[in-house]
Amino acid sequence: MQQPAATAPTVQLLAWIDEEPRGYAETVERWRTSCPRLAVWEDALAEGLVRVDGRAVLLTEAGRALLKTGCG
């Protein structure tokens, strides 16, 4: 499966989540947007780069791989 292309905001989101444990409420508050052109959180979730596990937000294997390369 091909990785999605990473935008700078997507890489920033993945790095932010990877820095320390993040809760769902904190993540949504910081990263959710009503602008359809900058839907970083929504896109990362839909592309399988992050997942919600209870109240925690975690990087998936695909998200870690994308963060490692920093690009798509």
Side-chain angles (χ1 to χ4, degrees), residues 5-70:
T7 63
T10 299
V11 173
Q12 290 173 342
L13 168 65
L14 299 177
W16 181 79
I17 292 170
D18 195 47
E19 285 177 356
E20 63 183 75
R22 302 292 182 177
Y24 176 78
E26 174 189 17
T27 303
V28 170
E29 181 180 324
R30 176 144 182 197
W31 291 93
R32 183 185 289 179
T33 181
S34 60
C35 176
R37 293 183 182 209
L38 189 60
V40 178
W41 161 249
E42 293 86 350
D43 290 347
L45 194 58
E47 293 170 358
L49 301 175
V50 298
R51 68 183 178 91
V52 178
D53 184 13
R55 293 184 179 172
V57 175
L58 307 168
L59 295 181
T60 62
E61 188 175 318
R64 288 197 181 285
L66 196 69
L67 181 58
K68 185 176 179 180
T69 63

